[in-house]
């Protein structure tokens, strides 16, 4: 119901979205989409790679103060199976497919497959994955690498909105490089590299990425700094658990907002309803919040 | 994840173990299913971040109970400050109940889901024996306290050293007289159950893999299992938390 | 009392410290040192600059999920007054003076003053401050800048232990550069750039640095990655609020551990006592924890 | 910061205002001093991270009380889940009490420290009048509830719009008949007090600057004041929270 209120709609890269809320990649399975049709503006499936990936051995998650560290290792069935099952994600909303490769060529191959298939409305490049051609540094390790992979994918996706998802480290330089290379939008931020230690067991518990409320101030800063510098829309992501959080990200400059681990502890519909209350109190439409700091 | 606000009806502590009963009028839990729980009083706080998973210990007349060990912050808050809880609906795949006779094998507080299972077996007339391992260094009256929940169970005092589960199975004796062994206990008990049951008797193990989303979204609760084309990681929250022993690629 | 137990002692850059616990720069005023003599291994005063600094206008702090963002702006009375009052920090423990400059020359000038004065046992360079010669990027903006300032300070402090405190961003490269340039130890990490937004007031609340438990997994990761790569000791810092946290940092590779905002919410003595309990349970001496992962 | 575990003796709510009394046998608070408080029940949780500062509202016979508005997570937890509190000793520089007659000017719940001040004035025989501003849109019996704490106080119903404090001072009339005005209220009330007192009467203002360490370490609670050589930032936690109006560089 809420989602029908016109004041919730936003435009992203020329696409009208019924709400500014999106799931963050890797945090919402197709199995739980039912009943979410009016909550989200678009659906972002789990990142897919060219080949199937088994993922990392457990333990894969550890709770931390107001957050969690995960090391899933991009477990996914590969692009063939992904496309075969893509309709499971179809709840009448645009689908933004999240892609990751180990080489630029793999990224391009994935884009070509997505483009040929045609069902995904937009593509989100997950650049926080290791680049095997650069000694395992991620595709976010610097503007040159970002520019290269984004330009290559841009060419493979004529006319299709291309979002680029970045890590916090070096975010301003990487964002500018992505925009220069043709990105239509930027998703900020992926998880922050982190570690948990089991002191009693004297072992590393999980070496992975930090998400959740703990990183919200870091993500807000990234959105704020980047939105001032680029001309393309920014999608905020990191630690959203409430409607106020959504408003904070939009005020900081985001055109839309992703909910990741916050969806594990709150019902996304409740987050949206709180956001509606924020809008009512402010007497503003969702789209008016973006960059609406006084 | 949708969490429902429910009223706590009863709260009990024994040492570092806690029993909580709450009003639950939603879909009743199946044996071996779990719920997520957090203290409603502290739900404004963002730490602890995740709700905690617990097996449904029992369910009767609109009352569900949880039996758990107080380990860290989450269980401490649950055991102390919670007039009201936020809980999920029962989730996951529980025990599959077929014919009998069957054996229920539990370790201490982690025998939790066996109570609801034995209620179901009682109800459907499946003959079953219940064995519960109690560490030798547990307080004297621990078994007595635990026994309230498991009428007719046999409490086996094992050592607190490695190898304890083997002693348990020595006591149980020939497994071939059972059609299925249902196990819920410490990791070692589960591993031993898998070993001793292999080729002899079907076994179903209730796993307690760390969870985040509990709805299949995060792939955090990975359990290595054997599929048609080799081993892969299943998700304990939706493919389990109960797995057939032979499916586990341990 | 606790502090006397020999098992608590560690060695840092050749200095014997009675405990591995230090206050983080800027989080412990001289006024509250009384009674802390047996808690800490050394004292780290607030960062001092060449000239007095008024600091930033309020609001300077905002609480966040399991943490806080601060933007104090290095309010301090300048090196003259600092040295005049330095004895206020003297509780019989070594003093590690934290220095910050806006140029390499200012850093060197500060080192010379400290060296001439002689009372500080060691120096900690706070490189997370803006470098006016590099367009306001911090001195942590890259290995070249780090190398330059560290080498210059090294020369100005013959024979005095030189610690270099780094930000998380680019920490491994910067750490290697600092070591190469002659650093005797590395303090990891300073606050993480962050932002808080007041959604109701539609304004930025504080644009500053995130500290507290929220960043502990990030700091642990930095310590872990750097300690594996360098030969000099690492001092862990970020989100410590308990004795277990201290143990986690040492296991991850830290030779000593700083407590910053955790001291605002816990009594440092209690943290040390918890740490002693950890050691007892593990049957280990403090120094044995460093890098003691199984 | 050392926090002490204390028992809550009494708890009261009126709308979004809360009154808490706790047992305190440490050094008694001076009028205008503050304490840090957090709920002991949730002290294992790391969020909310910081303890919350509150003026000592009152103190008598080993019982300290706090009067506060429930605003966000911290005050909500304090008002709901706290059989026990963790509190600091009273801190900071409070009101300086000299001769009289004096006026106490408060705004709603933020008049909190004036209660202890009036007790002190009563005790030392300094004549004083108390004026407390109540927003016109407050519930009917709000002033009645508040009045329990301030016997003899005059409750002035102001508008809830900007300019309210001016109306308050209209009611108070000529300030020159007082030697000091002590003010504790919303920011606007403090600012207005400074303005109207300038050159007429000494004024002392109780500030509520956001705090982290509360012991002078973090420089987070900066208040611009006029020093010998120009304006600088004082620390509200140790140089205040009460400041002479003329010292403030607002
Ligand atoms: C499906 C399922 C059902 C469960 N049912 C029960 C039950 O019926 N009764 C019961 O007592 N417990 C049960 N558990 C375990 C229970 O969820 C954990 O003990 C609880 O989450 C710990 O929370 P805490 O905040 O107290 O501890 P934390 O503060 O989170 O952790 C305390 C210590 O325990 C360790 N720890 C926490 N969780 C795990 C884990 N899953 N595996 C290994 N180590 C861990 C931590 O590393 C830490 O050292 C179940 C778990 C699952 C997944
Ligand atoms: C010395 C001192 C004495 C105080 N005495 C009293 C008292 O006697 N009675 C009383 O009701 N309050 C008093 N306060 C204010 C009280 O500390 C805050 O209202 C409380 O900390 C809010 O905590 P919270 O967790 O409920 O709100 P939060 O969740 O922290 O914040 C709720 C909202 O209030 C805003 N906020 C929080 N703190 C402040 C602040 N200091 N200034 C401006 N906005 C803020 C936040 O931005 C947020 O929008 C005092 C403050 C100080 C510094
Ligand atoms: C369990 C888990 C799995 C994730 N998987 C992916 C993924 O496949 N692709 C991706 O781009 N980001 C992935 N992320 C990162 C999130 O999309 C998001 O960027 C990050 O978690 C920060 O947002 P949050 O704090 O709201 O969770 C994952 C995060 C979590 C917690
Ligand atoms: C209020 C405040 C003031 C700080 N001032 C300084 C400073 O002057 N110099 C410095 O190197 N670090 C400063 N820091 C950073 C801390 O020393 C520490 O690196 C950081 O807060 C992370 O540790 P923590 O999480 O334990 O607080 C400050 C931190 C805080 C919270
Ligand atoms: S807990 Fe997230 S997939 Fe199982
Ligand atoms: S609150 Fe830290 S100096 Fe005042």
């Amino acid at each position: 119901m809420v989602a029908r209120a016109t004041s919730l709609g936003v435009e992203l890269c020329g696409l009208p979205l019924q709400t500014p809320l999106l799931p963050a990649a890797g945090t919402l399975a197709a199995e739980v989409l039912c009943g979410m049709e009016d909550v989200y503006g678009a659906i972002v499936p789990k990142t897919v790679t060219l080949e199937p990936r088994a993922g990392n051995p457990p333990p894969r998650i550890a709770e931390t103060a107001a957050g969690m560290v995960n090391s899933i290792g991009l477990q996914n069935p590969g692009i063939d199976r992904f496309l075969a099952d893509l309709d499971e994600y179809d709840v009448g909303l645009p689908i933004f497919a999240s892609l990751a490769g180990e080489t630029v060529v793999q990224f391009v191959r994935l884009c070509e497959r997505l483009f040929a298939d045609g069902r995904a409305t937009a593509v989100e490049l997950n650049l926080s994955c290791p680049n095997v051609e650069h000694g395992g540094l991620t595709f976010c390790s610097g503007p040159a690498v970002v520019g290269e992979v984004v330009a290559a994918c841009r060419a493979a996706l004529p006319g299709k909105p291309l979002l680029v998802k970045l890590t916090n480290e070096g975010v301003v330089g990487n964002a500018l490089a992505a925009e220069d290379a043709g990105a239509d939008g930027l998703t900020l931020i992926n998880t922050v590299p982190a570690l948990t230690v089991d002191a009693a067991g004297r072992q590393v518990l999980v070496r992975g990425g930090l998400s959740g409320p703990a990183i919200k101030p870091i993500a807000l800063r990234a959105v704020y700094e980047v939105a001032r510098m680029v001309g393309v829309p920014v999608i905020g992501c990191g630690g959203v658990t409430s409607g106020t959080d959504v408003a904070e990200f939009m005020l900081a400059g985001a055109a839309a907002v992703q909910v990741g681990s916050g969806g594990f502890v709150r019902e996304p519909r409740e987050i949206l309803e709180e956001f509606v209350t924020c809008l009512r109190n402010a007497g503003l439409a969702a789209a008016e919040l973006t960059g609406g700091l006084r | 994840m949708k969490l429902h606000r429910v009223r706590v009806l009863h709260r009990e502590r024994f040492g570092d173990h806690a029993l909580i009963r709450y009003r639950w009028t939603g879909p009743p839990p199946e044996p071996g299913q779990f719920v997520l729980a957090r203290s409603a009083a502290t739900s404004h706080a963002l730490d602890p971040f995740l709700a905690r998973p617990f097996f449904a210990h029992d369910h009767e007349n609109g009352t569900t109970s949880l039996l758990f060990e107080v380990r860290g912050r989450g269980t401490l808050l649950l055991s102390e400050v919670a007039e009201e809880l936020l809980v999920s609906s029962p989730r996951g795949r529980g025990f599959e109940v077929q014919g009998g006779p069957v054996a229920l094998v539990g370790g201490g507080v982690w025998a939790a889901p066996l109570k609801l299972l034995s209620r179901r077996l009682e109800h459907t007339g499946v003959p079953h024996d219940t064995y519960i391992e109690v560490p030798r260094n547990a307080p004297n009256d621990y078994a007595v306290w635990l026994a309230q929940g498991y009428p007719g169970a046999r409490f086996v005092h094992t050592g607190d050293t490695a190898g304890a589960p083997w002693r348990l199975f020595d006591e149980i004796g020939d497994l071939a007289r059972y059609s299925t062994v249902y196990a819920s206990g410490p990791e070692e008990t589960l591993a031993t159950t898998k070993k001793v049951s292999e080729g002899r008797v079907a076994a179903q193990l209730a796993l307690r893999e760390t969870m985040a989303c509990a709805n299949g979204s995060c792939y955090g609760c990975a359990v290595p299992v054997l599929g048609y084309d080799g081993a892969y990681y299943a998700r304990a929250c939706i493919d389990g938390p109960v797995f057939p022993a032979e499916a586990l690629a341990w």
Side-chain angles (χ1 to χ4, degrees), chain A:
Chain A
M1 293 306 100
V2 269
R4 299 286 159 75
T6 50
S7 66
L8 267 177
V10 296
E11 204 194 89
L12 188 75
C13 310
L15 304 170
L17 304 185
Q18 63 175 0
T19 86
L21 219 61
L22 314 177
T27 66
L28 189 67
E31 290 93 322
V32 284
L33 279 178
C34 173
M36 298 286 199
E37 302 80 11
D38 57 350
V39 173
Y40 294 117
I43 297 301
V44 186
K46 180 154 184 59
T47 297
V48 64
T49 55
L50 217 44
E51 300 299 325
R53 286 178 59 105
N56 294 334
R60 291 180 172 186
I61 46 179
E63 195 190 52
T64 64
M68 58 178 279
V69 174
N70 87 76
S71 165
I72 308 299
L74 288 183
Q75 174 169 356
N76 82 89
I79 186 72
D80 291 339
R81 180 73 185 282
F82 174 84
L83 289 176
D85 297 345
L86 187 57
D87 286 346
E88 290 174 7
Y89 282 104
D90 184 3
V91 290
L93 296 175
I95 293 175
F96 292 4
S98 169
L99 312 179
E102 293 179 329
T103 63
V104 173
V105 170
Q106 285 188 2
F107 267 106
V108 171
R109 197 74 61 74
L110 285 161
C111 289
E112 289 166 352
R113 294 291 304 275
L114 259 296
F115 189 74
D117 178 86
R119 282 174 293 175
T121 308
V123 160
E124 184 179 87
L125 303 180
N126 172 359
L127 298 191
S128 312
C129 48
N131 179 343
V132 296
E133 292 162 325
H134 279 68
L137 290 178
T138 73
F139 281 94
C140 278
S141 63
V145 189
V146 169
E148 185 194 352
V149 65
V150 173
C153 291
R154 171 74 289 168
L157 292 168
K160 201 176 273 285
L162 176 62
L163 306 172
V164 176
K165 183 169 177 183
L166 299 171
T167 304
N168 182 56
E169 180 140 338
V171 73
V172 174
N174 289 339
L176 290 169
E179 184 184 29
D180 275 353
D184 297 307
L186 301 162
T187 303
L188 314 176
I189 59 177
N190 214 312
T191 55
V192 180
L195 183 85
T196 59
V197 172
D198 168 9
R202 285 170 61 196
Q203 57 191 356
V204 166
L205 212 52
V206 179
R207 179 163 170 263
L210 181 62
S211 65
I215 68 166
K216 191 185 75 171
I218 301 174
L220 278 172
R221 173 76 174 257
V223 167
Y224 180 76
E225 305 293 348
V226 169
R228 300 198 290 184
M229 303 288 287
V230 299
V232 294
V234 170
I235 303 178
C237 178
V240 171
T241 62
S242 72
T244 311
D245 293 342
V246 176
E248 290 176 6
F249 271 98
M250 294 186 75
L251 287 166
V257 177
Q258 295 184 348
V259 182
S261 22
F264 304 163
V265 302
R266 294 288 312 280
E267 179 68 3
R269 177 180 301 280
E270 289 169 16
I271 297 177
L272 186 68
E273 279 161 4
E274 287 169 3
F275 178 61
V276 170
T277 307
C278 286
L279 290 179
R280 282 217 190 95
N281 292 344
L284 294 174
E288 292 173 304
L289 279 188
T290 302
L293 291 173
R294 281 196 255 252

Side-chain angles (χ1 to χ4, degrees), chain B residues 52-55 67-69 71-72 74-75 110 112 208-210:
Chain B
R52 301 300 193 241
F54 299 101
F55 289 115
L67 176 67
F68 57 92
E69 185 193 6
R71 301 185 76 165
T75 46
W110 286 331
R208 294 184 312 280
E209 210 47 59
T210 314

